[in-house]
Amino acid sequence: MLLRVQTTDDEVLYVNENQIAYVKKVDTRLLDEESTWQVFLTDAAETSFIIPYSELKRQKQVV
Protein backbone atom coordinates (compact mmCIF):
# COMPACT_ATOMS: atom_id res chain seq x y z
CA MET A 1 0.00 0.00 0.00
CA LEU A 2 1.28 3.47 -0.87
CA LEU A 3 1.33 6.06 1.87
CA ARG A 4 1.09 9.76 1.07
CA VAL A 5 3.57 11.68 3.21
CA GLN A 6 4.21 15.42 3.40
CA THR A 7 7.73 16.32 4.57
CA THR A 8 8.78 19.34 6.59
CA ASP A 9 10.03 20.84 3.28
CA ASP A 10 6.45 20.60 1.93
CA GLU A 11 7.37 17.83 -0.49
CA VAL A 12 4.68 15.23 -1.06
CA LEU A 13 6.02 11.68 -1.35
CA TYR A 14 4.27 8.41 -2.00
CA VAL A 15 6.09 5.62 -0.20
CA ASN A 16 5.37 1.91 -0.25
CA GLU A 17 4.82 1.01 3.41
CA ASN A 18 7.10 -2.03 2.96
CA GLN A 19 10.01 0.32 2.15
CA ILE A 20 10.04 1.95 5.60
CA ALA A 21 12.91 0.51 7.64
CA TYR A 22 12.45 2.60 10.79
CA VAL A 23 11.47 6.02 12.14
CA LYS A 24 13.71 8.04 14.46
CA LYS A 25 12.84 11.03 16.64
CA VAL A 26 15.07 13.95 15.59
CA ASP A 27 15.25 15.81 18.92
CA THR A 28 14.81 13.54 21.94
CA ARG A 29 14.71 16.52 24.31
CA LEU A 30 11.30 17.53 22.95
CA LEU A 31 7.92 15.92 23.46
CA ASP A 32 6.84 13.62 20.64
CA GLU A 33 4.32 16.19 19.41
CA GLU A 34 6.96 18.95 19.24
CA SER A 35 9.72 16.97 17.57
CA THR A 36 10.19 16.11 13.93
CA TRP A 37 10.77 12.52 12.85
CA GLN A 38 13.24 11.08 10.36
CA VAL A 39 11.93 8.23 8.22
CA PHE A 40 14.52 5.78 6.83
CA LEU A 41 13.81 3.64 3.79
CA THR A 42 15.16 0.18 3.03
CA ASP A 43 16.71 1.13 -0.32
CA ALA A 44 20.42 0.74 -1.07
CA ALA A 45 20.94 4.52 -1.01
CA GLU A 46 19.71 4.68 2.60
CA THR A 47 17.20 7.39 1.72
CA SER A 48 15.58 9.35 4.52
CA PHE A 49 13.28 12.32 4.92
CA ILE A 50 11.90 14.33 7.83
CA ILE A 51 8.24 14.63 8.72
CA PRO A 52 6.33 16.48 11.45
CA TYR A 53 4.60 14.55 14.22
CA SER A 54 1.21 15.22 12.64
CA GLU A 55 2.24 13.14 9.59
CA LEU A 56 3.57 10.37 11.82
CA LYS A 57 0.33 10.27 13.78
CA ARG A 58 -1.74 10.31 10.59
CA GLN A 59 0.25 7.40 9.16
CA LYS A 60 -0.28 5.37 12.36
CA GLN A 61 -4.03 5.74 11.87
CA VAL A 62 -3.83 4.61 8.24
CA VAL A 63 -1.72 1.51 8.88
Side-chain angles (χ1 to χ4, degrees):
M1 180 166 121
L2 288 177
L3 302 174
R4 182 185 182 278
V5 179
Q6 186 165 357
T7 69
T8 54
D9 295 331
D10 287 331
E11 291 181 285
V12 175
L13 307 173
Y14 289 88
V15 179
N16 185 328
E17 65 182 325
N18 296 331
Q19 290 179 299
I20 298 173
Y22 63 97
V23 179
K24 177 179 153 186
K25 188 175 182 179
V26 173
D27 190 344
T28 58
R29 297 171 297 162
L30 298 174
L31 296 172
D32 288 355
E33 296 83 4
E34 297 170 348
S35 182
T36 53
W37 296 77
Q38 189 168 7
V39 179
F40 292 87
L41 303 182
T42 58
D43 62 350
E46 298 181 8
T47 305
S48 71
F49 52 89
I50 296 178
I51 61 173
Y53 178 79
S54 59
E55 281 295 298
L56 180 67
K57 184 175 178 189
R58 187 174 69 80
Q59 296 310 325
K60 280 189 209 174
Q61 292 172 351
V62 171
V63 174

